[in-house]
Each structure stands twice: as C-alpha cells, then as structure tokens.
Amino acid sequence: MNLLLVNVISAVLSLVSIGIVVVALRRAAEMIRLGKSMAEQIAASSANLEQALAALKTEHDDFRDENRKLDARLEESARAQRDIARSVDLMGRIRTELQGDIRALHTSISARNTAAATVAPQAASAPAKAHIQSKSSKLPVFVRRTVASATVTDNTAAFS
C-alpha cells in the first residue's frame, strides 16, 4: 500500500505542478499580449510625436521666414522713413529759398512799380529775371521755372 500511496501522492503532485505550469503559461501569454499592445501604443505615440515634431519644425521654419520678411520690411520702412525725412528737409530748404525769392521778387516788383514812371517795363523786369535765375540754379529741377507774373498780398503769392 505504500507504493500505491506514493503513486497517488506523486500523481496529485504532478497534477498540481501541471496546473501551476498551465496558470503560469496563461499569465505569460497575457503578459506577452500586454507587452505587444504596449509596444503598439508606444510605436503609435512615437509616430505621433514624430509628426508633431515635423509640424513644429515646419512652423519654426515658417516663423523664421516670416521673421526674415518682417526684418526686411522693417529695414525698408526705416529706409523709406529716412527718405521721407530727407525729402521733408529738402522741401523745408526749398520753402525757405522760395520765400527768400518771393521777398526778392516782391521788393523788385515794388521797385519796378516806383521806377515804372521813368523806366520802360522791359528794362525793369530783366534784372528781376536774372536775379531769379541766379537763385534758382541752386534749386532742384522741379522748382526751376519761369514766373511770368506774380501777385503778392498779405505774405502770400499767386504765380501764373
């Protein structure tokens, strides 16, 4: 009976060990399945991160290009502002020169009116034209023009 008892105990222990192996194999299979799903999720996350990185790189490049364009526009604006400032300065100088010419013209007209009784109109206008032409040689081309007649009233002039 000893042998039978040993065989039964051995059979029970074998069944228990087979049961333990089956449970361990099931858990191992479940762990493998979980590992595969985690690997798939990690791969999907990596792909999404790579796509996000590529999108961020393109946005960075776009922003860099836009920054360069804005810098060029700022440079152009600064250049235009300098040109406008120079033009305003030139126009101010031209204005002061023209005011001086108008005053000279006014004095020559008043002198011509006082001398009109004794001197012919052509003789009086020749010095005024020469005076205007000598002053206008310093002025830009668009300002050099011949004044046929001018009327000066209340520090304003009307040319024709």
Side-chain angles (χ1 to χ4, degrees):
M1 196 152 141
N2 268 343
L3 193 55
L4 182 64
L5 187 63
V6 170
N7 280 339
V8 171
I9 292 176
S10 168
V12 169
L13 287 176
S14 295
L15 286 176
V16 168
S17 67
I18 289 176
I20 291 173
V21 167
V22 169
V23 169
L25 286 177
R26 283 187 182 169
R27 286 194 178 173
E30 184 178 337
M31 290 286 279
I32 290 172
R33 214 176 325 116
L34 285 175
K36 284 182 181 179
S37 70
M38 284 182 74
E40 289 173 359
Q41 289 176 356
I42 289 172
S45 296
S46 288
N48 289 338
L49 285 175
E50 287 176 4
Q51 288 176 351
L53 181 65
L56 287 174
K57 282 183 180 179
T58 57
E59 277 189 39
H60 177 67
D61 292 341
D62 290 344
F63 285 141
R64 191 176 337 139
D65 293 342
E66 286 295 320
N67 191 21
R68 287 181 184 150
K69 288 177 186 177
L70 287 176
D71 286 342
R73 286 182 187 162
L74 284 173
E75 184 74 26
E76 184 67 27
S77 296
R79 191 176 314 125
Q81 187 176 9
R82 286 190 302 265
D83 290 344
I84 289 171
R86 273 190 246 133
S87 297
V88 166
D89 185 43
L90 177 66
M91 294 304 289
R93 284 187 284 149
I94 291 170
R95 180 176 175 256
T96 56
E97 288 179 12
L98 284 176
Q99 284 177 346
D101 288 347
I102 290 171
R103 287 186 190 115
L105 184 63
H106 179 57
T107 57
S108 68
I109 289 173
S110 63
R112 183 176 50 157
N113 287 341
T114 57
T118 59
V119 180
Q122 288 181 345
S125 65
K129 286 183 182 177
H131 179 69
I132 291 172
Q133 287 176 353
S134 68
K135 284 269 190 174
S136 66
S137 65
K138 292 187 273 181
L139 300 175
V141 175
F142 65 90
V143 177
R144 295 182 199 156
R145 61 180 176 174
T146 305
V147 177
S149 65
T151 58
V152 179
T153 58
D154 298 329
N155 290 334
T156 59
F159 298 104
S160 56

